[in-house]
Amino acid sequence: MAKSPEEEHPKKAFGWAARDPSGFLSPFNFSRRETGEKDVTFKVLYCGICHSDLHMVKNEWGVSTYPLVPGHEIVGVVTEVGSKVQKFKVGDKVGVGCLVGACDSCDHCAKNNEHLCPQMILTYGAKYHDGTDTYGGYSDVMVANEHYVVRIPDNLPLDASAPLLCAGITVYSPLRYHGLDKPGLHVGVVGLGGLGHVAVKFAKSMGLKVTVISTSINKKKEALEKLGADSFLISRDQNQMQAAMGTLDGIIDTVSAVHPILPLIGLLKSEGKLIMVGAPEKPLELPIFPLIMGRKMIAGSNIGGLKETQEMIDFAAKNNITADIEVIPIDYVNTAMERLVKADVKYRFVIDIGNTLKSG
Amino acid sequence: MAKTPVDEHPQKVYGWAATDSSGILSPFHFSRRDNGDEDVTIKILYCGVCHSDLHTAKNEWGFTFYPVVPGHEIVGVVTKTGKNVTKFKDGDRVGVGVIVGSCKSCECCQQDLENYCPKFVFTYNSLYHDGTKTYGGYSDMIVVDQHYVLRFPDNLPSDSGAPLLCAGITVYSPMKYYGITEPGKHLGVAGLGGLGHVAVKLAKAFGLKVTVISTSPNKETEAIDRLGADSFLLSTDAAKIKAALGTMDYIIDTVSGIHPLGPLLGLLKVNGKLITVGLPGKPLELPILPLALGRKLVGGSDIGGMKETQEMLDFCGKHNITADIELIKMDYINTAMERMAKSDVRYRFVIDVANSISK
């Protein structure tokens, strides 16, 4: 007979879980494995709320199994390390992002692209090597293989660095992979939310000229004055879009709703690249002529491997890049999810796990 | 008062033109400019029938200015050269492809990418620098700036080499640009028509493994036995498609009909590239999740610049690559267009212009 979540592992754990596709989260007792020889156990202090958490608790992608403990922007302090752990010790500040495992032997894993491994294991909502469900960071403790743990440098505040573990790597990886990281290049960032605002910060630190493209005029001031973008385009303003045609070397499109991409392709210079990091649930319409006439490209990207995630965190630390966050107590999480649906947050909620998640 | 096509230039020319969106072609008298200092005059021997000719004749893309004389896969013989022409002499066998002009000064032109110049001039249905309309190769002669004329390698036949001037460069260019030339890599070619069959031949010459992806089961034997493809995938065979998921490094999509890109994306390996060279008249459906999860890419490509087109011709000369053609007479053109609309040709019609275009 299958063991209950509380019994299947020896270490008691407490978190908040969704029980059904209403997505409503509530207290949940479960358990975590013993610290294996290559494992790192850490007390969770903060966990970012990613839009994926919302999609998953509501089963919007059709892959959720319940009970579901979301959270893959997890930071905390190491409390125990296995006998073969080399990179971490008790007291270290660490984080875990979207992955907690992969096959570790295929070509992709060998090239530090665990996120492309066909057997990658997601931090929550997946099956671990031992066949048990993975539970995420809306919880008090995490146990993870050291390979999937990243160090958080001392100068990065833990709460504001949590979102880097998903939002950060999701925009950093394609900027590097597609060569959109050279000083003087001009990139557009579509959508100014969790992903978008971090993309602006990274791009500016890399020496790029940045244009934010958004549907909301009320984000203009923030974009220019607080985030340091060089210019701002209202995507529905045909005159503005027309004037900007053929000016961008690349675009990072973070919008996850269905939206027209023809105007975005028009903004690209010849050989320009449109990188989709938001994942609309329905296919988009791709006009072929403009793609062909300018030898332009549209590509996708999804998080990044562990080596690159550490590199991203270190880059953020060196350039003092953190997310703009609203820290909330755990019992605010359902309200936060509702506000997230309406994009009513500047720009990421982060749950103060350490101070507010207490088992009943 | 605007001059008529016959009057606007000094040299009288005879060709076939479409005069309305029925696309029906019929005899047409017009004129071409005198041979300028930079120009080469060419007696046209052969002209390939490209699917773009059909799209334009019927105004399917919405920017045709009638009357239109199509034809941009032109092979002929030089009969006159301007005083600044150094690359060609009378009697040379030459080709003219899709463009006959560009600004020559922008970044694209300076990088030999005349095909991406915002001011490039199409061989037909465009406005030339002098403000007059360009007319294509379904005609007895053409006058072209030497920069846009290509030397035909000695061993490349004029008739079966003609389609290389559009179909050939259209698939050669993205193969070079996107790196689809590495021996041992696996390329899928979607659609086995004018573009597709040349793509198979080029890819085999580069040493790639090639799978043809098609909706027509009757193309399988040809694809493998005659064109040298390694395998054939029928798009409607669900079991075979499933077995082929994640096996291709690249796909060149030559299909110009409306088709969903999702199934093709599924055939790509992680980091795979889908290059689209067909020109569907409406947008295609692109699912984003598979693009993101596999870090895949969809790229476009449009013919090639003049330097690269010459390079492609020389490569084909060296490897004996020509198109598979059906030679037709000029007055068969309307039937040929109807057959091409139904993909009833293996794989390109070529008009025997010199022997069949008569006033």
Side-chain angles (χ1 to χ4, degrees):
Chain A
M1 197 182 75
K3 289 191 176 175
S4 73
E6 268 191 87
E7 292 162 337
E8 67 184 347
H9 294 296
K11 233 201 259 308
K12 295 282 154 257
F14 174 70
W16 279 45
R19 265 47 171 219
D20 57 49
S22 72
F24 187 79
L25 292 137
S26 57
F28 173 66
N29 290 305
F30 64 109
S31 52
R32 299 244 187 233
R33 64 179 185 272
E34 260 327 340
T35 307
E37 55 188 15
K38 292 194 179 167
D39 285 337
V40 170
T41 296
F42 63 96
K43 175 179 159 62
V44 178
L45 294 178
Y46 296 97
C47 188
I49 299 185
C50 177
H51 209 124
S52 304
D53 297 349
L54 178 57
H55 290 308
M56 284 295 283
V57 297
K58 294 190 160 197
N59 197 19
E60 283 171 3
W61 292 331
V63 297
S64 304
T65 53
Y66 297 98
L68 185 90
V69 176
H72 55 208
E73 296 180 334
I74 317 167
V75 296
V77 173
V78 177
T79 55
E80 193 181 349
V81 296
S83 58
K84 293 198 170 145
V85 168
Q86 310 206 306
K87 299 196 293 181
F88 302 101
K89 59 187 192 307
V90 172
D92 281 348
K93 291 196 302 181
V94 296
V96 164
C98 302
L99 300 183
V100 290
C103 83
D104 295 331
S105 60
C106 70
D107 228 25
H108 298 299
C109 287
K111 291 180 183 161
N112 300 304
N113 288 321
E114 297 87 354
H115 62 306
L116 299 173
C117 169
Q119 292 172 55
M120 66 168 183
I121 300 172
L122 297 178
T123 299
Y124 65 84
K127 289 270 184 245
Y128 199 61
H129 298 300
D130 62 8
T132 62
D133 291 329
T134 55
Y135 294 113
Y138 295 16
S139 62
D140 54 1
V141 63
M142 278 293 293
V143 181
N145 180 303
E146 76 166 325
H147 186 79
Y148 299 89
V149 177
V150 297
R151 177 182 312 284
I152 308 289
D154 282 333
N155 68 312
L156 277 184
L158 275 185
D159 52 1
S161 54
L164 297 176
L165 292 160
C166 178
I169 184 61
T170 296
V171 297
Y172 180 90
S173 186
L175 285 171
R176 291 286 191 213
Y177 183 69
H178 291 286
L180 295 171
D181 56 352
K182 315 217 175 351
L185 290 184
H186 187 176
V187 297
V189 176
V190 187
L192 201 62
L195 263 55
H197 89 289
V198 174
V200 175
K201 294 188 185 198
F202 276 132
K204 287 310 297 173
S205 286
M206 291 169 179
L208 277 62
K209 182 172 166 190
V210 178
T211 295
V212 168
I213 301 144
S214 171
T215 50
S216 332
I217 183 70
N218 56 16
K219 293 195 175 178
K220 182 173 178 174
K221 199 158 179 286
E222 279 259 333
L224 298 176
E225 293 174 19
K226 220 169 92 79
L227 297 173
D230 297 274
S231 53
F232 187 92
L233 285 177
I234 298 282
S235 43
R236 290 181 188 140
D237 185 326
Q238 293 223 7
N239 291 330
Q240 280 187 28
M241 293 292 276
Q242 183 93 358
M245 279 181 76
T247 57
L248 302 178
D249 295 285
I251 294 173
I252 305 282
D253 186 349
T254 75
V255 176
S256 53
V258 169
H259 58 290
I261 50 177
L262 172 60
L264 299 177
I265 294 175
L267 293 176
L268 291 171
K269 292 178 186 173
S270 273
E271 302 181 315
K273 301 169 186 179
L274 171 59
I275 315 299
M276 312 297 293
V277 291
E281 52 198 56
K282 290 201 171 66
L284 298 185
E285 278 196 351
L286 177 68
I288 299 296
F289 258 86
L291 207 68
I292 283 181
M293 298 301 281
R295 193 157 66 177
K296 301 178 183 180
M297 284 160 256
I298 175 167
S301 189
N302 177 47
I303 49 174
L306 270 308
K307 181 167 180 239
E308 192 172 39
T309 305
Q310 184 68 66
E311 178 192 298
M312 176 276 303
I313 292 279
D314 294 340
F315 179 88
K318 189 168 164 205
N319 292 282
N320 287 309
I321 295 171
T322 54
D324 292 359
I325 64 173
E326 183 178 327
V327 181
I328 60 158
I330 185 68
D331 57 14
Y332 190 77
V333 74
N334 289 305
T335 308
M337 288 288 194
E338 283 169 23
R339 285 178 53 195
L340 184 56
V341 174
K342 293 178 274 180
D344 174 25
V345 55
K346 280 191 169 55
Y347 291 99
R348 231 0 175 219
F349 289 110
V350 172
I351 308 169
D352 183 353
I353 299 279
N355 290 319
T356 67
L357 182 80
K358 300 197 188 314
S359 51
Chain B
M1 198 179 78
K3 291 190 172 173
T4 67
V6 173
D7 297 327
E8 67 184 348
H9 294 293
Q11 299 202 68
K12 299 295 158 231
V13 186
Y14 175 75
W16 279 50
T19 50
D20 58 42
S21 60
S22 70
I24 303 284
L25 294 134
S26 55
F28 174 67
H29 294 271
F30 62 109
S31 53
R32 295 206 189 264
R33 64 180 185 272
D34 263 337
N35 199 82
D37 294 342
E38 299 287 333
D39 287 336
V40 172
T41 296
I42 302 162
K43 173 181 157 69
I44 296 176
L45 298 176
Y46 298 98
C47 188
V49 180
C50 177
H51 210 126
S52 305
D53 297 348
L54 177 57
H55 289 307
T56 307
K58 292 189 147 194
N59 196 19
E60 284 172 3
W61 292 330
F63 52 77
T64 303
F65 295 100
Y66 294 104
V68 60
V69 175
H72 56 208
E73 295 180 338
I74 308 166
V75 179
V77 172
V78 176
T79 56
K80 198 165 175 186
T81 58
K83 71 180 206 297
N84 293 340
V85 172
T86 48
K87 300 198 297 181
F88 304 102
K89 60 185 189 308
D90 287 7
D92 280 350
R93 222 158 43 102
V94 294
V96 174
V98 183
I99 55 179
V100 292
S102 62
C103 83
K104 291 193 182 174
S105 58
C106 70
E107 228 180 277
C108 289
C109 285
Q110 280 169 15
Q111 290 173 29
D112 301 310
L113 294 171
E114 298 88 348
N115 51 319
Y116 297 116
C117 167
K119 296 187 176 154
F120 72 71
V121 180
F122 281 131
T123 299
Y124 62 82
N125 194 46
S126 250
L127 282 182
Y128 198 61
H129 305 304
D130 61 9
T132 63
K133 199 158 72 174
T134 54
Y135 294 108
Y138 294 12
S139 59
D140 53 14
M141 66 91 128
I142 190 167
V143 180
V144 183
D145 179 318
Q146 62 168 328
H147 187 78
Y148 306 92
V149 177
L150 299 138
R151 179 177 314 284
F152 233 63
D154 286 337
N155 65 317
L156 213 55
S158 300
D159 52 0
S160 55
L164 297 174
L165 292 158
C166 180
I169 185 60
T170 295
V171 294
Y172 181 88
S173 184
M175 291 174 79
K176 296 300 293 264
Y177 184 67
Y178 290 102
I180 311 174
T181 54
E182 217 181 300
K185 294 284 192 184
H186 186 183
L187 167 71
V189 176
L192 197 63
L195 264 55
H197 89 289
V198 175
V200 174
K201 295 186 183 196
L202 286 169
K204 291 311 295 173
F206 283 125
L208 276 64
K209 178 179 163 188
V210 178
T211 295
V212 167
I213 306 153
S214 172
T215 51
S216 323
N218 58 13
K219 292 191 176 179
E220 179 165 3
T221 312
E222 276 264 329
I224 297 186
D225 295 346
R226 234 170 68 89
L227 297 173
D230 297 275
S231 53
F232 182 91
L233 196 54
L234 191 61
S235 343
T236 47
D237 186 333
K240 290 237 166 83
I241 292 280
K242 191 162 175 201
L245 290 180
T247 59
M248 299 178 193
D249 296 285
Y250 321 94
I251 292 174
I252 294 185
D253 185 0
T254 73
V255 176
S256 57
I258 304 299
H259 59 290
L261 293 175
L264 292 177
L265 285 181
L267 295 174
L268 288 171
K269 293 178 183 174
V270 163
N271 294 327
K273 298 175 186 174
L274 168 64
I275 311 307
T276 168
V277 291
L279 289 168
K282 290 196 170 69
L284 300 185
E285 259 191 20
L286 175 69
I288 301 298
L289 203 56
L291 208 64
L293 291 179
R295 196 161 64 176
K296 299 176 184 180
L297 173 158
V298 176
S301 186
D302 181 35
I303 46 171
M306 300 316 302
K307 184 166 173 230
E308 194 172 42
T309 308
Q310 186 66 65
E311 179 191 298
M312 175 277 304
L313 283 176
D314 296 339
F315 180 88
C316 289
K318 188 170 159 198
H319 293 272
N320 287 309
I321 295 172
T322 55
D324 293 358
I325 66 167
E326 183 176 326
L327 201 59
I328 63 166
K329 303 233 180 293
M330 189 74 238
D331 60 10
Y332 190 76
I333 186 62
N334 291 308
T335 309
M337 290 285 199
E338 282 175 15
R339 285 179 52 197
M340 184 166 62
K342 292 179 280 184
S343 299
D344 175 26
V345 55
R346 279 192 169 50
Y347 289 98
R348 233 354 177 224
F349 290 110
V350 172
I351 308 168
D352 183 355
V353 175
N355 288 324
S356 66
I357 202 165
S358 50
K359 298 185 172 45

